[in-house]
């Protein structure tokens, strides 16, 4: 597959993933707004912080290293899918071990919630751990699908599973509210089970038809999806196994950075379960754009960079055409997320209170809620830039560089935990976001230095020209002033008519920013139309 074909496939995958994440976040958004009317904030805190942390930790530590190593390892032709599948099946016993260990910690070492306010905590821990192990059954199939760019499979599977999860949650919340945590445990088990079922059904259908041969799929029989040893070759590819181990050491530290505030809340008890619930709702609301735009872009273009660039080799020893494409894509992606992040920071500050008041009423808009969302709007800018820079860095690093970076991650993890604990006592829940901002800034600085050194001996300089045009910066500055003044004059306790005036003013400012982008960022607009919106472009042509 040529670099242009890989870019086209990665762009299509990013577009589908964006649509998928939009649907997920909208459904979760509506589901949280619904459940807020029926269950206590303490119950939401335990589910969204304590139990979700158990599930995400188990799944991330069991599969993340395998995903990164295997997707990088299959980018060339010198690999055996038999060995790759055998390696991926190791995620299952590893997941069982993590499930046993984490369940013991969650049951016996952490504070147990009040059984009257949060009933059935013990069984819920077991069921959430079981759901994580269940999802690992689809891991070899997921990697096969990603490596061969089966973009629609992920969208369909996760969409059906998410719809099923939300439907079960709504029905049980309305008709069996006394079940407590059993409601969310059953819904999550059904979600992971549906996900696995979709992947299994798809690959059974694919391998039972002639389509696999037409697509030159490396497997021909369903039995090849199961682990087995081929003649005259090792059970696994030990080069990939060593790379997996390097990523595994890094994944533990990355998980602490990703979910650091939840670990601090869970293990250090700096916030009550009710405050954790409010923080998590505000956090999810603030991260909606980051999750349904930035994360799919990061995941999809990591695959692109991993396939186009040869890991561990400098610029001069690679195909110059591939390096040129990678540099151009990296520059456009950084410019794109920078512009989107600035827009979110500007408009998020003036509309945080109104958004929380509409979404959850005084439960969210009173207290620290608006301040949390305002800080998160600024944090999203750092989150966006870090996602793109790290997806390039992790695709280009050699195994030795990955090992060295583990020490950097260790230092960042320790500093983040220390900062989170100290800043939370000083500024409450806002301290979590401040600690995230500081650590994210350090990670961005490290990645930018790596990218600068990587392209230093080449004619391509993807870090140059990232600053937005003066007209766009002027439009953003005027929008910031206008929306802040509008909030003070018209929002948010003066009735619905002043609120509409406030929203209308923001809409006009946003329109002005979009016009500035279209007039001055023509290269960026062309990249979005041709690479991130391929279906739209196809229809136009």
């Amino acid at each position: 597959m040529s670099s242009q074909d890989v870019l086209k496939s990665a762009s299509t995958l990013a577009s589908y993933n964006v649509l998928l994440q939009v649907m997920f976040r909208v459904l979760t958004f509506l589901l949280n707004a619904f459940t807020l009317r029926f269950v206590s904030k303490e119950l939401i805190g335990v589910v969204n912080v304590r139990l979700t942390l158990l599930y995400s930790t188990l799944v991330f530590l069991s599969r993340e290293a395998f995903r990164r190593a295997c997707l990088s390892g299959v980018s060339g032709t010198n690999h055996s899918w038999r060995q790759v599948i055998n390696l991926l099946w190791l995620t299952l016993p590893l997941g069982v071990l993590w499930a046993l260990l984490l369940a013991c910690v969650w049951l016996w070492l952490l504070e147990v919630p009040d059984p009257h306010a949060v009933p059935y905590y013990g069984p819920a821990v077991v069921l959430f751990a079981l759901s994580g192990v269940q999802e690992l059954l689809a891991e070899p199939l997921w990697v096969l699908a990603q490596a061969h760019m089966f973009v629609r499979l992920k969208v369909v599977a996760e969409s059906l599973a998410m719809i099923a999860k939300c439907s079960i949650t709504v029905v049980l919340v309305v008709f069996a509210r006394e079940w407590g945590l059993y409601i969310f445990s059953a819904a999550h088990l059904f979600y992971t089970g549906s996900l696995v079922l979709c992947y299994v059904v798809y690959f059974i259908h694919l391998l039972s038809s002639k389509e696999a041969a037409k697509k030159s799929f490396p497997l021909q029989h369903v039995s090849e999806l199961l682990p087995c040893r081929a003649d005259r070759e090792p059970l696994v590819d030990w080069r990939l196994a060593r790379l997996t181990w390097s990523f595994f050491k890094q994944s533990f530290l990355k998980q602490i950075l990703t979910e650091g505030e939840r670990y601090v809340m869970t293990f250090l008890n700096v916030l009550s379960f009710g405050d954790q619930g409010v923080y998590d709702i505000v956090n999810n609301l603030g991260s909606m754009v980051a999750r349904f735009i930035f994360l799919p872009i990061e995941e999809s273009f990591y695959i692109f960079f991993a396939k186009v660039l040869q890991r561990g080799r400098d610029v001069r020893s690679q195909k110059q055409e591939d390096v040129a494409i990678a540099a151009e894509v990296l520059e456009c992606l950084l410019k794109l997320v920078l512009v989107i992040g600035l827009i979110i920071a500007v408009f998020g500050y003036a509309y945080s209170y109104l958004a929380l008041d509409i979404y959850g009423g005084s439960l969210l808009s009173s207290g620290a809620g608006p301040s949390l969302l305002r800080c998160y709007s600024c944090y999203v800018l750092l989150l966006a830039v870090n996602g793109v820079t790290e997806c390039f860095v992790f695709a280009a690093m050699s195994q030795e560089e990955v090992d060295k970076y583990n020490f950097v991650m260790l230092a960042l993890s320790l500093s983040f935990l220390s900062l989170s604990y100290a800043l939370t006592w000083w500024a409450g829940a806002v301290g979590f976001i401040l600690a995230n901002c500081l650590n994210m800034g350090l990670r961005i600085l490290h990645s930018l230095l790596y990218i600068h050194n990587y392209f230093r001996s080449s004619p391509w300089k993807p870090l140059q020209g990232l600053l937005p045009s003066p007209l766009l910066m002027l439009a953003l500055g005027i929008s910031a002033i206008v929306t802040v003044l509008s909030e003070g004059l018209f929002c948010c306790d003066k009735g619905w008519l002043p609120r509409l005036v406030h929203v209308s003013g923001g809409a006009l400012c946003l329109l002005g920013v979009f016009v500035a982008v279209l007039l001055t960022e023509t290269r960026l607009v062309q990249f979005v139309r041709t690479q991130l919106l391929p279906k739209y472009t196809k229809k136009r042509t």
Side-chain angles (χ1 to χ4, degrees):
M1 187 179 289
S2 67
S3 300
Q4 290 290 349
D5 291 335
V6 174
L7 175 58
K8 182 179 179 180
S9 298
S11 302
T12 304
L13 180 59
S15 302
Y16 279 119
N17 280 345
V18 167
L19 294 176
L20 179 64
Q21 290 298 325
V22 167
M23 189 198 73
F24 274 19
R25 300 314 299 173
V26 169
L27 285 176
T28 305
F29 177 85
L30 296 175
L31 184 63
N32 283 337
F34 177 80
T35 53
L36 276 172
R37 272 70 179 174
F38 291 88
V39 300
S40 65
K41 61 181 181 181
E42 287 78 14
L43 189 68
I44 292 177
V46 172
V47 172
N48 290 357
V49 178
R50 176 75 66 88
L51 296 178
T52 302
L53 180 64
L54 168 64
Y55 163 78
S56 64
T57 302
L58 188 161
V59 171
F60 190 91
L61 295 181
S62 300
R63 74 184 184 191
E64 178 68 13
F66 290 88
R67 284 186 172 186
R68 286 194 173 274
C70 291
L71 286 174
S72 297
V74 301
S75 59
T77 58
N78 187 24
H79 68 272
S80 166
W81 271 109
R82 175 73 279 143
Q83 293 177 324
V84 172
I85 291 175
N86 289 341
L87 182 63
L88 287 168
W89 274 110
L90 293 178
T91 59
L92 187 60
L94 182 61
V96 172
L97 290 176
W98 278 118
L100 293 173
L101 176 63
L102 294 174
C104 291
V105 172
W106 258 246
L107 288 172
W108 296 324
L109 297 184
L110 298 181
E111 176 190 357
V112 177
D114 181 3
H116 298 288
V118 185
Y120 310 116
Y121 172 74
V125 169
V126 176
L127 292 174
F128 265 81
L130 180 61
S131 70
V133 174
Q134 181 175 247
E135 186 171 342
L136 294 175
L137 291 170
E139 194 57 25
L141 308 182
W142 186 93
V143 172
L144 275 170
Q146 291 292 106
H148 292 88
M149 297 295 180
F150 295 165
V151 293
R152 292 181 179 85
L153 173 58
K154 180 181 178 181
V155 175
V156 173
E158 297 194 12
S159 299
L160 293 176
M162 190 63 181
I163 292 171
K165 176 184 175 180
C166 291
S167 302
I168 292 174
T169 303
V170 169
V171 171
L172 293 180
V173 163
V174 174
F175 297 104
R177 203 178 314 169
E178 68 280 1
W179 286 14
L181 291 176
Y182 276 130
I183 296 172
F184 302 95
S185 303
H188 205 74
L189 265 174
F190 203 88
Y191 167 77
T192 57
S194 302
L195 202 60
V196 172
L197 182 62
C198 287
Y199 276 92
V200 170
V201 169
Y202 178 84
F203 276 95
I204 289 177
H205 172 73
L206 175 66
L207 296 176
S208 301
S209 65
K210 297 180 179 180
E211 188 179 356
K214 291 180 180 179
K215 293 183 176 181
S216 299
F217 196 66
L219 308 182
Q220 301 299 323
H221 303 286
V222 175
S223 60
E224 296 180 56
L225 296 172
L226 300 175
C228 67
R229 186 167 190 164
D231 294 335
R232 286 179 285 184
E233 71 177 16
L235 184 63
V236 299
D237 185 334
W238 292 107
R239 178 185 62 85
L240 281 183
R242 288 190 293 271
L243 184 59
T244 301
W245 174 243
S246 297
F247 277 123
F248 178 78
K249 293 182 288 185
Q250 185 188 101
S251 65
F252 184 78
L253 301 174
K254 186 177 180 181
Q255 175 68 3
I256 294 177
L257 288 173
T258 303
E259 302 280 6
E261 66 271 14
R262 286 183 170 85
Y263 286 113
V264 173
M265 283 188 283
T266 298
F267 287 92
L268 300 180
N269 298 320
V270 293
L271 296 176
S272 66
F273 289 116
D275 290 339
Q276 289 179 28
V278 173
Y279 173 82
D280 184 75
I281 293 171
V282 172
N283 181 60
N284 285 332
L285 185 62
S287 64
M288 280 185 68
V289 176
R291 289 177 185 269
F292 67 63
I293 293 182
F294 300 139
L295 184 59
I297 290 175
E298 177 187 350
E299 290 179 347
S300 302
F301 281 93
Y302 171 78
I303 299 173
F304 164 74
F305 290 128
K307 284 181 173 289
V308 168
L309 301 176
Q310 299 183 42
R311 179 180 295 277
R313 299 181 64 177
D314 60 29
V315 171
R316 289 171 295 183
S317 60
Q318 303 199 46
K319 292 182 179 179
Q320 297 303 293
E321 179 186 355
D322 292 347
V323 176
I325 294 175
E328 181 180 1
V329 170
L330 177 61
E331 181 178 348
C332 290
L333 283 178
L334 282 174
K335 186 69 168 287
L336 174 65
V337 298
L338 183 64
V339 170
I340 296 175
L342 286 171
I343 292 173
I344 293 171
V346 167
F347 290 91
Y349 185 89
Y351 290 89
S352 295
Y353 184 96
L354 179 60
L356 291 178
D357 193 59
I358 294 174
Y359 184 57
S362 60
L363 176 68
L364 298 180
S365 61
S366 61
S371 299
L372 280 172
L373 193 54
R374 288 188 179 109
C375 290
Y376 208 99
S377 299
C378 299
Y379 171 59
V380 165
L381 173 60
L382 299 176
L383 198 65
V385 175
N386 179 73
V388 173
T389 54
E390 283 197 347
C391 88
F392 176 86
V393 168
F394 289 150
M397 276 183 173
S398 65
Q399 181 178 335
E400 292 74 19
E401 289 172 325
V402 171
D403 289 332
K404 291 179 181 178
Y405 188 63
N406 289 335
F407 293 102
V408 177
M409 296 286 281
L410 176 61
L412 288 172
S413 301
L414 294 175
S415 65
F416 172 75
L417 294 176
S418 302
L419 282 170
S420 296
Y421 185 74
L423 292 175
T424 303
W425 283 113
W426 172 63
V430 174
F432 284 123
I433 301 177
L434 296 178
N436 271 314
C437 289
L438 292 173
N439 276 273
M440 199 62 69
L442 292 175
R443 289 169 65 178
I444 291 172
L445 179 61
H446 176 275
S447 297
L448 292 179
L449 289 175
Y450 181 91
I451 294 170
H452 172 74
N453 292 329
Y454 187 86
F455 288 99
R456 181 169 52 187
S457 59
S458 75
W460 301 284
K461 308 296 178 185
L463 297 182
Q464 294 181 358
L466 293 183
L467 289 179
S469 64
L471 179 62
L472 177 56
M473 294 300 295
L474 177 63
L476 289 170
I478 294 174
S479 298
I481 296 172
V482 170
T483 52
V484 169
L485 292 176
S486 174
E487 183 184 31
L489 293 173
F490 302 107
C491 192
C492 286
D493 55 354
K494 299 178 175 65
W496 282 103
L497 185 59
R499 289 187 179 193
L500 289 175
V501 174
H502 179 47
V503 172
S504 300
L508 290 175
C509 291
L510 184 60
L511 179 61
V513 170
F514 285 153
V515 171
V517 170
L518 293 174
L519 291 177
T520 61
E521 303 291 350
T522 53
R523 184 184 177 193
L524 179 62
V525 173
Q526 181 67 14
F527 175 79
V528 172
R529 290 183 60 186
T530 57
Q531 303 302 333
L532 295 182
L533 299 175
K535 284 199 165 186
Y536 172 78
T537 307
K538 185 176 180 180
K539 290 179 181 179
R540 288 291 299 267
T541 56

